[in-house]
Amino acid sequence: MRQIFTAMPYVPPKEPEPIVAWLREHATKRRISRGEVLKYGGEANRLFYLEKGLCAYFIAGELTGRASILSLLPPGRTMGDMTASIGAQCNVLTQALSDSLVWVIPPALFREAIFANPTLAQLKFHHAVLKEESTLEGMVANFTRPAAERLKILFKALLLDASPQLADQPWQKIPYRLTDEVLGQVVNLARPNVSAILSHWRQAGLMKKVGNERWVHEALFQDIFDWLERPDRPKPDWTPKLG
């Protein structure tokens, strides 16, 4: 899965718990509907924490003619934290992929808290680096991995995010009901190509559908390269040393 960094591609890491505790203390709840836009490209000073549902960062498709997903955002992620922290702007659209529950936080209050508390600042700096690593890993995968392998990597990243230690059962349920179009937007494939790959996996006995849920067999992931899973590589501990 990972070729360069320690963060998973396509799915950024969860926000550190001390920051989550602060966010919940100073935020208000808001329910958003599928398809609702939380933050337009280039828009600053909006900060959210995702409690339930699924959102995504989209790259606007003015140049390519179709939108692409930069990162999928499951629960436990902040959205707009870079602009809220340092005031930088980026042309990324933040949108809900399902009905969701978010916490809305005043950006100025968040910025003041981060700058006033060295522990929170260190955690946020470390987390920001991991988020960028995740984005870069996804981009590298889309440039260098074959089409089917990119889909495998995305599914494994989602499964590991839902459960860091995958269950012993050979079949695993994909945590979210993602359409073929959305899957293609993440791994840079046209929808018909995604459908063809998934159909091939079903015929090979590596994927099945139970109702509206997709299940994959553990054998699907046997040939995925991950530099951190090589037996000759030590497992690095990038937990920030606070003090």
Side-chain angles (χ1 to χ4, degrees), residues 43-75:
E43 186 179 17
N45 291 324
R46 304 199 75 187
L47 178 61
F48 307 92
Y49 172 77
L50 182 61
E51 185 75 31
K52 295 180 181 179
L54 184 68
C55 295
Y57 288 141
F58 282 83
I59 305 171
E62 287 92 343
L63 294 177
T64 62
R66 65 186 183 95
S68 299
I69 291 178
L70 188 64
S71 296
L72 286 175
L73 303 169

Side-chain angles (χ1 to χ4, degrees), residues 147-155 183 187 194 197-198 201:
E149 191 173 344
R150 300 201 296 269
L151 274 175
K152 293 180 185 181
I153 291 170
L154 172 57
F155 284 154
L183 292 172
V187 299
V194 173
I197 293 171
L198 299 184
W201 289 349

Side-chain angles (χ1 to χ4, degrees), residues 117-120 122-123 240-243:
N117 188 321
T119 298
L120 292 182
Q122 187 176 356
L123 285 170
K241 304 300 186 289
L242 303 177

Side-chain angles (χ1 to χ4, degrees), residues 21-236:
W22 184 92
L23 293 172
R24 287 178 172 151
E25 183 180 351
H26 297 86
T28 56
K29 287 184 180 181
R30 174 182 160 191
R31 296 193 178 277
I32 56 176
S33 301
R34 176 183 177 184
E36 185 173 341
V37 173
L38 288 86
K39 189 168 178 288
Y40 287 95
E43 186 179 17
N45 291 324
R46 304 199 75 187
L47 178 61
F48 307 92
Y49 172 77
L50 182 61
E51 185 75 31
K52 295 180 181 179
L54 184 68
C55 295
Y57 288 141
F58 282 83
I59 305 171
E62 287 92 343
L63 294 177
T64 62
R66 65 186 183 95
S68 299
I69 291 178
L70 188 64
S71 296
L72 286 175
L73 303 169
R77 276 70 180 179
T78 47
M79 299 172 285
D81 51 320
M82 290 297 98
T83 56
S85 298
I86 60 175
Q89 292 179 267
C90 54
N91 189 28
V92 174
L93 182 140
T94 307
Q95 188 172 17
L97 294 178
S98 70
D99 293 345
S100 301
L101 175 65
V102 300
W103 296 84
V104 184
I105 307 98
L109 191 63
F110 178 71
R111 186 162 50 248
E112 292 170 4
I114 292 294
F115 290 161
N117 188 321
T119 298
L120 292 182
Q122 187 176 356
L123 285 170
K124 191 61 205 173
F125 175 78
H126 178 259
H127 181 254
V129 170
L130 290 178
K131 285 183 69 173
E132 293 306 308
E133 287 185 358
S134 173
T135 299
L136 289 171
E137 280 287 356
M139 294 173 64
V140 169
N142 284 355
F143 275 115
T144 62
R145 302 291 183 96
E149 191 173 344
R150 300 201 296 269
L151 274 175
K152 293 180 185 181
I153 291 170
L154 172 57
F155 284 154
K156 187 171 182 180
L158 288 168
L159 287 167
L160 286 172
D161 179 70
S163 177
Q165 301 297 327
L166 290 179
D168 295 333
Q169 289 78 10
W171 286 96
Q172 302 291 329
K173 184 176 75 173
I174 300 302
Y176 304 97
R177 297 178 182 177
L178 300 174
T179 66
D180 292 0
E181 180 179 7
V182 168
L183 292 172
Q185 289 173 333
V186 178
V187 299
N188 194 29
L189 288 173
R191 183 192 57 76
N193 293 337
V194 173
S195 300
I197 293 171
L198 299 184
S199 176
H200 172 73
W201 289 349
R202 287 193 295 270
Q203 293 172 11
L206 297 172
M207 173 177 279
K208 63 183 180 181
K209 289 196 73 173
V210 180
N212 293 321
E213 308 289 354
R214 285 188 172 115
W215 291 69
V216 291
H217 195 275
E218 60 183 359
L220 184 68
F221 307 116
Q222 288 180 352
D223 59 349
I224 292 181
F225 170 86
D226 188 323
W227 75 274
L228 288 178
E229 293 180 355
R230 285 173 45 179
D232 61 327
R233 297 282 188 177
K235 301 294 184 183

